[in-house]
Amino acid sequence: MAAYTPLTVEDAIEFARKVPGFFSPETGLECEEIGDGNLNLVFRISSSAEHKSLIIKQALPYAKVVGESWPLSLDRARIEREALIIQHTLCPDLVPAVYGGDPDLAITVMEDLSDHVIMRKGLIEGQTYPKFAEHIGRFIATTLFFTSDLGMNQQRKKELAASFTNPDLCKITEDLIFSDPYRNAENNDISADIRTEAEKLWTDEQLHLEVALLREKFLTHGEALIHGDLHTGSIFVTETSTKVIDPEFAYYGPIGFDLGAVIANLVLNFAAQPGWKRDRTAQDKQRAWLLDTIREVWVHFERHFSRLWEERGEDPIFRLPAYREHYVRKVLQDAIGFAGCKVVRRIVGLSHVADIETIAEDHLRHQAKVTALAIGKALIKNGRQATSIEDALTIAKNAAEAEGAIV
C-alpha cells in the first residue's frame, strides 16, 4: 500500500489496525463507507467489542462531483491533516483529534463523531443549537487570530503560509464562487425556473464590481490560516457540542471568508424555511433563531477576537484602538460580501445545498431560490456600507421581504 490506490473496505480495516495504540490486535473490526462529499472517500472503522471507532479519510486525485476529468492534487490531504492539528491545538473542544495519516496514500485518521449530527441535516429537520454561535465564533476568532500577523511571530507566519499554499482547491473557490455565477459558465447548474434570474447576474455591472473586489481579497489578502469551506456540512453538532471538520480548502486568506461562509449557510436555511415548516408560527420562530444566530456568531467572534488582540497581540504598533476598530469593521464588511457570494453560488453554481434542493414542492423550492438570490445579491452590493451586524440583518430581511418572503 505504499503507492497510491483508492482504499477498499478491506484496505481501510488493514490500515486501521496499524494505528498505534487504538485497537487491540485481536479485536474484530467492521467498516462502512460513509462519505457523501465531492472530493474524498470516508470510512468508519469500529470494534463492537471494544466500543471504539475511528474515521479514515482519503483524498481522491479528482473531484467526485465531476469525475476524473477534473484532477486535483493529493497534497490537499496533508494540508487538511496539518490544519486539523493546528486547529485542534488551538481549540481542542471544537475540532476532532487526529490519530495519524499517510502522505503517500493521502490519508488522515481522526476521531469519530458519530454521536454528533451534520449541522445541515439538523437545520433541515428544524433543530436549533444553543451553543453553536458561541462555539463557532470562538473557533473562528481563535484559529484565525493565532495564525495571523496579529497573534504569531510574523516571520513564522510567512513560513506557515508557504506550507499552506493550496492552488487546486483555491482555484475551485475562485471559479465556483467568484467567477462562474456571473457568466454563462459550463459548470453552472441553473434550474429552468430561475434561468431568467441567473442571466440577470451576468449583466449586473454593480454586482460585478463588488464581486471583483471580493475576489481580489480572496486572491491577495493572506491574513490568516482560514478553514476555507466552513459551511454547515463541515460542522458536526449536538445541543452542547460543536466540531469543525474538513479544512482541506485551508490556505492563507481573508479572515472574513470563514465568517461569511457560516452566515451564508444560515441564510440559505432561512430562505428555505417555507419549504420545511408549513405552520407560520413555527416558521417565524425558526427564522428568528437563524437571524439571532447570525448576530450572535458575529458578537462572539468580535468579543473573542478583540480580547485576544488586547491580551495576546504580538505587534505593539497594532495595539492602537483605532486600528483595531478599523480592522474589525473591515472583517465585518468582508464577511457580509463573502456571505452574499456563497449564497449566490449555491443557487446557480455547481453543487447546491440540500436545504433548498430537497424541498418537495416545486413552488416552495422556487421561492426559496428566488429569496436566497435576492439576499445574496443585496449582501454583495451593500456589504461595504455596513457598520454593524444589524446592518447585515436589515439588508437580508429587506431583500427577503421584497421577494414576498415576509419576515
Side-chain angles (χ1 to χ4, degrees), residues 355-373:
D355 311 56
I356 291 175
E357 290 301 299
T358 56
I359 293 172
E361 289 82 354
D362 290 346
H363 73 285
L364 294 175
R365 188 169 60 254
H366 169 75
Q367 184 60 55
K369 294 175 188 177
V370 171
T371 299
L373 273 181

Side-chain angles (χ1 to χ4, degrees), residues 18 67 73 77 121 130 147 190 241 257 270 295 316 321 358 362 385 407:
K18 298 177 181 178
S73 168
K121 179 177 184 293
T147 58
I190 303 168
S241 175
F257 191 77
F270 172 93
R295 177 187 296 108
T358 56
D362 290 346
Q385 284 71 52
V407 295

Side-chain angles (χ1 to χ4, degrees), residues 39-40 59-63 70-79 106 165-169 172 248:
L39 305 176
N40 308 285
L60 290 169
Y62 56 86
W70 190 339
L72 292 172
S73 168
L74 293 174
D75 187 52
R76 72 182 193 275
R78 174 195 63 82
I79 287 173
T165 300
N166 198 355
D168 281 8
L169 272 68
I172 292 175
E248 61 190 317

Side-chain angles (χ1 to χ4, degrees), residues 140-387:
I140 297 172
T142 304
T143 59
L144 272 55
F145 180 83
F146 283 115
T147 58
S148 76
D149 288 310
L150 302 170
M152 71 179 301
N153 175 274
Q154 291 158 0
Q155 281 59 52
R156 172 59 184 143
K157 182 249 189 179
K158 293 176 178 64
E159 296 170 354
L160 199 62
S163 72
F164 279 96
T165 300
N166 198 355
D168 281 8
L169 272 68
C170 283
K171 175 65 171 171
I172 292 175
T173 300
E174 292 155 17
D175 288 349
L176 298 191
I177 297 177
F178 298 111
S179 180
D180 289 355
Y182 308 99
R183 61 192 179 94
N184 189 17
E186 181 180 356
N187 282 328
N188 285 339
D189 183 6
I190 303 168
S191 57
D193 63 305
I194 58 160
R195 183 77 190 183
T196 299
E197 292 299 318
E199 290 178 354
K200 292 177 183 177
L201 300 173
W202 305 344
T203 58
D204 189 333
E205 292 190 0
Q206 180 192 358
L207 187 69
H208 291 184
L209 171 61
E210 298 302 327
V211 172
L213 292 169
L214 291 161
R215 178 181 170 88
E216 177 194 18
K217 289 176 183 290
F218 186 84
L219 289 169
T220 65
H221 289 210
E223 294 172 344
L225 180 60
I226 67 172
H227 180 284
D229 197 29
L230 194 56
H231 55 75
T232 50
S234 295
I235 302 169
F236 276 85
V237 286
T238 69
E239 286 193 355
T240 60
S241 175
T242 304
K243 300 282 187 178
V244 176
I245 63 168
D246 290 351
E248 61 190 317
F249 281 75
Y251 89 113
Y252 262 80
I255 287 175
F257 191 77
D258 282 351
L259 283 160
V262 172
I263 292 169
N265 280 265
L266 296 172
V267 164
L268 287 161
N269 192 264
F270 172 93
Q273 279 307 304
W276 296 109
K277 291 187 183 297
R278 305 308 163 78
D279 178 76
R280 181 57 188 274
T281 301
Q283 184 186 128
D284 290 348
K285 183 178 179 181
Q286 189 73 3
R287 279 185 153 175
W289 181 84
L290 290 162
L291 294 178
D292 286 344
T293 299
I294 291 172
R295 177 187 296 108
E296 290 303 307
V297 167
W298 171 258
V299 167
H300 285 290
F301 165 80
E302 184 179 22
R303 182 180 303 154
H304 285 289
F305 197 77
S306 296
R307 179 180 58 79
L308 291 171
W309 191 312
E310 292 175 0
E311 298 176 0
R312 304 289 295 276
E314 284 280 324
D315 195 323
I317 198 65
F318 288 158
R319 292 185 179 277
L320 187 68
Y323 176 68
R324 186 175 76 236
E325 180 181 346
H326 167 83
Y327 192 101
V328 171
R329 185 187 306 116
K330 173 184 66 68
V331 170
L332 173 66
Q333 292 170 348
D334 289 352
I336 295 169
F338 287 134
C341 291
K342 297 279 276 186
V343 169
V344 169
R345 161 266 204 276
R346 290 294 191 175
I347 303 301
V348 302
L350 186 68
S351 186
H352 297 175
V353 291
D355 311 56
I356 291 175
E357 290 301 299
T358 56
I359 293 172
E361 289 82 354
D362 290 346
H363 73 285
L364 294 175
R365 188 169 60 254
H366 169 75
Q367 184 60 55
K369 294 175 188 177
V370 171
T371 299
L373 273 181
I375 295 173
K377 289 188 294 183
L379 293 173
I380 294 169
K381 288 183 175 182
N382 296 287
R384 285 195 295 142
Q385 284 71 52
T387 60

